[in-house]
Amino acid sequence: MTPSYVLALDQGTTSSRAVLFDHQGRLCRIAQQEFTQHYPKPGWVEHDANEIWTTQKQVTEQVLRDHGVSARQVVAIGITNQRETTVIWDRTTGEPIANALVWQDKRTAPLCEELRERGLEDQVREKTGLVIDSYFSATKIRWMLDHIDRARERAERGELLFGTMDTWLMWKATGGQRHVTDYTNAGRTMLFDIRELAWDEELLRELDIPAAMLPDVLPCSADFGTWTIDGVDIPIAGVAGDQHAALFGQACFEPGTAKNTYGTGCFMLMNTGEELCYSKNGLISTLAWGPDGKVNYALEGSIFIAGAAVQWLRDGLKLIQSASETEALARQAGEAQEVYVVPAFVGLGAPYWDMYARGAIFGLTRDTGAPELVRATLQSLAYQTRDVLEAMQEDSGLTLQTLKVDGGAVANNYLMQFQADILGVEVERPEVIESTAWGAACLAGMHVGIWSLETIAEVRRVEKRFAPHMDDTARASLYAGWQKAVKRTLGWLHE
Ligand SMILES: Nc1ncnc2c1ncn2[C@@H]1O[C@H](COP(=O)(O)OP(=O)(O)O)[C@@H](O)[C@H]1O
Ligand SMILES: O=P(O)(O)OC[C@H](O)CO
């Protein structure tokens, strides 16, 4: 019998990936292409949506070619993506009206402040589960409508469409036939009521955004249209924001189970079941997934800069040539040196939500060199995760036994061991660290009837467990140093 496959498109912040899984759920091949990051001004981050589509299309064709698979053998496509990143395009020409504003972009911070001053915080939290922050799509849409020539009048005439990257890719893949998204991506716009599973008219009015721009919202496993590859119509059958897809792919189906994904940013999500749980400690509430119209909720700690700090070591400081060198360098760092890097390059996300914090390095001495800076940068990922875990345990009343991890940076054994040490919790790395792509593939495979929840749990295998070894005094002292460092970066731009 000819083998069949599910194809996952993983449209991340720094690269477009296509990942091929066989019928048994085994990862067969990955194709990946980085694309350009545009930083036109401090705090601004943009992507060219056309480049995103082109790279995504190229890696899709490449993965099939490299593995010798024909389009006819692909039974379904799942899409997962960097969330919140906002593109607006012309419905007739399909041309974006400007570069996409990336989730990290901070240009709408003053608008967010204005919304807070107008007293919208409680309404936003109650309906969307979010805090008012430039991170989410709503103020990015509003900024484009206000600043791009004729955008508002065109949007009001129904000529412009908004989408996150899933929506954009599906619009392109279906030749402009479908303008759709899924619950989880819609839930990150700050315009979607996650209790009602519907766009919220009042928030749209408050932000002055025409409803006609918005995509239709479907469950995560659904009929999202077809992509015709080599003359074959392949169903796009699963869609979820990358962090939600990873939670699903890591089989976090039970309330209290959690995963942390170490990519450009770091995103820790804990399943809270069918009940929407609001945070008192700086986390956000979000939709976990909803394959068939019934949804699960999650608490999320969004950390804006994680692997991106490692990229800064490579591209900004030129201390390394590739991310993988950081592991050996960190091990060379002097034991006695206590250096802290707070990578608040675009402010701080959970649990601080400070758009005006900026990065800093503390504890430098004459002996500080590249190994110490590299180690402190890696450690900053682990400390930020601890900040989030503390909040999560407090909110949920649960004590986490094991942290499931995935994403590009978990290949780093130094980082994983330090993570276990600083949390005092076991860290569990699966064989397939592409949980995001796997989650999207599963959502698609479930819709076309080849997989079930049981398959997902069965396929997942642990590659390595990192047990905490650090003694309590050392852990407490290092973490206290981190907290002191963070405090000094807060509100930096305002002061
Ligand atoms: N061995 C490593 N040690 C530390 N960081 C790494 C390592 N390998 C990759 N990274 C970081 O992980 C990120 C890539 O992870 P990935 O999951 O592909 O991210 P994204 O989906 O956000 O594009 C990059 O920011 C990179 O710097
Ligand atoms: O592309 P990643 O993996 O850094 O994920 C980005 C997040 O979805 C932003 O919310």
Side-chain angles (χ1 to χ4, degrees), residues 6 37 41 97 116 159 172 247 339 341 350 363 406 432 449 478:
V6 176
Q37 307 289 317
K41 291 187 187 180
I97 61 166
R116 282 197 200 132
E159 293 170 16
K172 296 298 278 184
L247 189 70
V339 178
V341 169
D406 54 57
V432 175
L478 284 172

Side-chain angles (χ1 to χ4, degrees), residues 10-15 17 47 80-85 102-104 135-136 185 188 241-244 261-267 300 302-304 306-308 407-408 436:
D10 180 2
Q11 202 300 293
T13 309
T14 56
S15 71
R17 262 194 295 251
H47 289 159
T80 182
N81 54 291
Q82 53 166 327
R83 306 163 302 167
E84 300 98 14
T85 297
V102 179
W103 55 275
Q104 298 153 318
Y135 176 29
F136 306 106
N185 275 294
R188 311 296 293 196
D242 54 9
Q243 306 311 325
H244 315 263
T261 301
Y262 300 70
T264 305
C266 219
F267 299 88
E300 171 173 329
S302 331
I303 296 164
F304 295 153
T436 303

Side-chain angles (χ1 to χ4, degrees), residues 2 21 31 72 106 114 141 157 171 212 214 224 228 233 247 251 280 290 321 326 347 349 404 435 461 471:
T2 335
F21 295 92
R72 204 160 292 110
K106 283 283 148 307
E114 188 196 310
I141 305 177
R157 280 204 302 266
W171 172 267
L214 303 177
F224 290 92
T228 310
D233 291 338
L247 189 70
K280 291 189 181 65
Q321 284 182 329
T326 55
K404 299 176 175 186
S435 316
R461 301 218 192 300
D471 70 63

Side-chain angles (χ1 to χ4, degrees), residues 10-17 32 34-35 37 82 103 242-243 261-265 267 306-312 314 320 322-327 378 381 406-413 415 433-434 436:
D10 180 2
Q11 202 300 293
T13 309
T14 56
S15 71
S16 297
R17 262 194 295 251
Q32 174 166 3
E34 289 204 2
F35 53 81
Q37 307 289 317
Q82 53 166 327
W103 55 275
D242 54 9
Q243 306 311 325
T261 301
Y262 300 70
T264 305
F267 299 88
V310 177
Q311 286 173 335
W312 165 73
R314 186 191 63 183
I320 51 168
S322 88
S324 57
E325 290 167 31
T326 55
E327 184 170 337
L378 289 178
L381 277 62
D406 54 57
V410 304
N412 192 311
N413 291 311
L415 171 62
I433 60 174
E434 299 290 337
T436 303

